[in-house]
Amino acid sequence: NAGVMQNPRHLVRRRGQEARLRCSPMKGHSHVYWYRQLPEEGLKFMVYLQKENIIDESGMPKERFSAEFPKEGPSILRIQQVVRGDSAAYFCASSPLGGGPSTGELFFGEGSRLTVL
Amino acid sequence: SQQGEEDPQALSIQEGENATMNCSYKTSINNLQWYRQNSGRGLVHLILIRSNEREKHSGRLRVTLDTSKKSSSLLITASRAADTASYFCASTNTGGFKTIFGAGTRLFVKA
């Protein structure tokens, strides 16, 4: 049973370009979370999605950032017109159907490290 | 941080010693979890304690939860060099959807 798969692991973009980060949750998991981590800091919540629905996007900037989790395929975190301050590690986590945040454990991917030049 | 604070921010101990990390949070919670992160890697779940529990053990880990003080502690006994990592507490607030992480404690265990 494969774990949470994130790609790309490393992404370099120039200012103004778009970054697309992908996350395939563990098999059977329908809850996906995206977090952002700056060096030597904790994880900052961005967005929580279920299949085809955004449940909580309170941690995501209103502009340039969007997330989706379609019925088929991976969850996508999209950053348009990237700026240097977007450089960070972006982690995806999933939890099983029916479990959700109230019952706990999140399964994390290895992260996508975005560098904006 | 979004939810609470951890202390110490960094901890350096000798192999064989115990390591204690503390976490405080701000809102009522369903549960509190501890995760470990090795440098450059994703987080790995260690242990979960529910709001109606006061103490929980898993191998060399012991977690306590004091809901009246909104705090938790993680004790790693008989530490090993391989325990060197960052440790994060995380909580899900009552009725909420988000699991919120603290800033973490960076543990360094010297062989």
Side-chain angles (χ1 to χ4, degrees), chain A residues 42-62:
Chain A
L43 275 71
K44 182 176 180 182
F45 170 82
M46 298 182 73
V47 61
Y48 162 49
L49 310 103
Q50 294 180 14
K51 283 281 188 183
E52 301 184 274
N53 286 303
I54 296 174
I55 306 302
D56 186 331
E57 57 181 346
S58 59
M60 201 157 65
K62 294 286 187 285

Side-chain angles (χ1 to χ4, degrees), chain A residues 89-106:
Chain A
Y90 293 84
F91 287 95
C92 169
S94 72
S95 67
L97 177 66
S102 63
T103 56
E105 181 178 356
L106 299 181

Side-chain angles (χ1 to χ4, degrees), chain B residues 17-32:
Chain B
E17 293 180 338
N18 295 342
T20 300
M21 290 161 265
N22 302 295
C23 165
S24 62
Y25 56 91
K26 296 176 182 174
T27 62
S28 297
I29 59 171
N30 288 321
N31 63 62
L32 189 135

Side-chain angles (χ1 to χ4, degrees), chain B residues 22-74:
Chain B
N22 302 295
C23 165
S24 62
Y25 56 91
K26 296 176 182 174
T27 62
S28 297
I29 59 171
N30 288 321
N31 63 62
L32 189 135
Q33 305 168 53
W34 285 88
Y35 288 79
R36 167 194 168 124
Q37 183 181 35
N38 285 64
S39 181
R41 305 296 299 274
L43 277 73
V44 175
H45 183 264
L46 295 176
I47 194 166
L48 179 152
I49 186 166
R50 301 198 183 283
S51 59
N52 60 353
E53 297 176 310
R54 291 297 167 258
E55 187 171 310
K56 201 162 183 181
H57 296 253
S58 177
R60 294 185 295 113
L61 305 180
R62 181 171 79 98
V63 169
T64 62
L65 180 65
D66 186 336
T67 52
S68 66
K69 295 180 180 177
K70 291 187 168 58
S71 67
S72 173
S73 67
L74 171 68

Side-chain angles (χ1 to χ4, degrees), chain A residues 35 37 40 45 101 106 110 113, chain B residues 2 35 40-42 99 106:
Chain A
Y35 291 86
Q37 185 179 38
E40 307 301 319
F45 170 82
L106 299 181
E110 294 290 349
R113 282 149 188 82
Chain B
Q2 289 179 297
Y35 288 79
R41 305 296 299 274
T99 297
R106 280 139 198 86

